[in-house]
Amino acid sequence: MSIFPADIEEQAKRIIADFSARKLMVATAESCTGGLIAGALTEISGSSAVVDRSFVTYTNQAKTDMLGVTEGTLAAFGAVSKETALQMVHGALYRSRASLAVAVTGIAGPGGGSAEKPVGLVHLAAKARAGKLIHREMRYGDIGRDEVRLATVRTALDMLVETARE
């Protein structure tokens, strides 16, 4: 029995099987999910052939130290922004052996939101080393911390699949 909901477990199983067959490796750069994306993937037997590494960068300093997000980006746009998500995904690829990476940064709640950046706002980026780059701004709403985090995992897994399409 998985610690994740059945739909996430099934998506992770499909990714591990497909990426393993295609010899694709993944890196994750996670803020608001705190490692749940990597956790969902590594829940699956055989994931060591696919998951290279995960960066859990909860603080701005961690984003800078581990992923190379610039202090200028954080000052100008904030941790929860398209710009930060894009720098996170680039940093994860640059600092790993992965062929693709996904990065997430957002406000899971219950606090921390504002009118401009409400609870439930998450920026996700996925990039293939070969070049395909996608960004999504999701506004899941104030649906509860656990649900925002799980919704983010679902979107991130979908984006990995989309990025891996040739």
Side-chain angles (χ1 to χ4, degrees), residues 15 19 25-31 33 35-38 41 51 53-57 67 84-93 96 98-105 122-129 132-136 152-163:
I15 288 170
F19 288 16
M25 294 207 71
V26 172
T28 68
E30 304 184 54
S31 188
T33 50
L36 289 174
I37 300 162
L41 292 170
V51 180
R53 66 194 70 186
S54 177
F55 302 89
V56 177
T57 56
L67 297 170
T84 295
L86 292 175
Q87 285 191 2
M88 287 172 69
V89 81
H90 284 285
L93 272 179
S96 72
S99 28
L100 24 114
V102 64
V104 301
T105 182
V122 181
H123 285 273
L124 304 94
K127 181 167 180 16
R129 198 171 287 277
K132 184 168 188 175
L133 172 67
I134 51 178
H135 164 263
R136 288 201 183 130
T152 302
V153 171
R154 288 180 180 100
T155 304
L157 294 177
D158 287 345
M159 289 173 72
L160 280 172
V161 171
E162 185 179 333
T163 306

Side-chain angles (χ1 to χ4, degrees), residues 28 33 38 55 65-66 73 76 83 101 103 133 138 142:
T28 68
T33 50
F55 302 89
D65 293 347
M66 294 174 70
T73 295
E83 294 78 7
L133 172 67
M138 302 301 291
D142 192 355

